[in-house]
Amino acid sequence: MQLNRFVSWLAVTAGFMASSLAAADFDQQRFPDEKEWRVIVSPYVWAASLKGNASLAGFDTDVEVPFSDTFDHLDLAFMGNVEVTNGTWGAFIDLQHVKTSQGEELQSQQLDLGITMNTVEGGIYYRAYEAALGGETVFGQPRRLSVEPLIGVRWSQLKGTVEALGRKVEKQSDWWDPFVGLRVNLDLSDRWNLFTEADIGGFDVGSKFTVNAQSYLGYRTMMLGQPTILRAGYRVLYQDYETNDFTGNRFRWNVTQHGPVVGLSMQF
């Protein structure tokens, strides 16, 4: 039972962190005729719940954990990305860090479990298609529909710590997942924007297969004198990763993470 809980919390943290809410989540703000490189800073929060199954140390367990359970044991979390773009080409890097801990009793002994997940994602995209929709946004840009293919890679690292009877054991696993995808930006009005992105990855390089889909409604405004988009939406991410764990048995992470996302993107 305690081992199954440990596996579930491994999956919870991965779902909270897995992959990224890529910098692609935010519409690049371009002023007319400007092609110089600009920087976009985007903090966000993904409140992910998990459903699937996982295996660790020869034990299989079902994973069905709401975000509220993760939040109850959360010690520290940071999610954000930085993007540079000239309106045609762009590159992004996304950094994520989540640390959870919990205490349990096992046969009258205190058992402390700690999970830390680090994810670094980077990629490039290209604005392959653009169509004018008429009118301008509140930032003085023409309203547009744009389509942007993207390619990238995601590195995930999972650390698990167990402390009991005066002993502390720490194990970790990390893997790389390449991915390819497409994102679409649509200016609904002078202030409202719709962003949708989908990508697939893994390809047996790291995970066997991954699928990511996300969509966000954005509102343009000014914050601290800078053009900013406030975003709210929903994201679904499926990952199927398998390797040998520290016991020599199969470690498998076959989980779908899903939940609401909120954030903002500020251009400098």
Side-chain angles (χ1 to χ4, degrees), residues 26-219:
F26 299 104
D27 179 36
Q28 288 70 52
Q29 298 307 316
R30 294 197 294 146
F31 292 96
D33 302 323
E34 284 190 340
K35 291 293 182 180
E36 71 273 11
W37 291 90
R38 293 170 301 284
V39 178
I40 301 172
V41 178
S42 306
Y44 61 87
V45 174
W46 181 23
S49 299
L50 283 83
K51 185 175 180 63
N53 58 77
S55 301
L56 178 67
F59 293 89
D60 297 327
T61 183
D62 292 330
V63 178
E64 189 163 358
V65 184
F67 172 73
S68 58
D69 286 358
T70 304
F71 187 78
D72 287 342
H73 297 277
L74 185 65
D75 293 335
L76 178 66
F78 169 79
M79 302 179 185
N81 60 64
V82 178
E83 179 175 342
V84 293
T85 179
N86 66 357
T88 300
W89 290 93
F92 60 87
I93 184 168
D94 191 282
L95 306 175
Q96 304 169 333
H97 174 81
V98 167
K99 183 178 181 181
T100 63
S101 64
Q102 62 175 333
E104 301 285 349
E105 281 209 11
L106 180 62
Q107 297 179 352
S108 301
Q109 298 293 329
Q110 179 68 21
L111 177 68
D112 295 319
L113 306 176
I115 305 296
T116 301
M117 184 72 181
N118 297 304
T119 303
V120 180
E121 176 180 308
I124 60 175
Y125 63 86
Y126 173 71
R127 182 162 292 184
Y129 174 79
E130 185 175 86
L133 301 178
E136 292 186 343
T137 70
V138 292
F139 298 146
Q141 309 160 342
R143 291 177 53 241
R144 298 179 176 92
L145 165 67
S146 63
V147 179
E148 299 163 344
L150 63 95
I151 184 171
V153 63
R154 179 181 304 114
W155 175 74
S156 300
Q157 181 190 59
L158 177 64
K159 295 181 180 180
T161 302
V162 180
E163 189 169 359
L165 300 175
R167 297 186 61 188
K168 182 177 181 180
V169 178
E170 181 175 291
K171 299 295 180 179
Q172 68 179 49
S173 181
D174 61 86
W175 64 94
W176 294 87
D177 282 327
F179 60 87
V180 294
L182 191 72
R183 65 185 193 178
V184 178
N185 288 295
L186 174 63
D187 291 329
L188 301 174
S189 69
D190 61 341
R191 286 193 179 272
W192 293 98
N193 168 269
L194 180 66
F195 168 83
T196 300
E197 187 262 346
D199 60 69
I200 59 175
F203 310 121
D204 266 335
V205 176
S207 301
K208 289 184 176 180
F209 193 60
T210 66
V211 178
N212 174 62
Q214 48 198 342
S215 187
Y216 308 97
L217 185 65
Y219 180 80

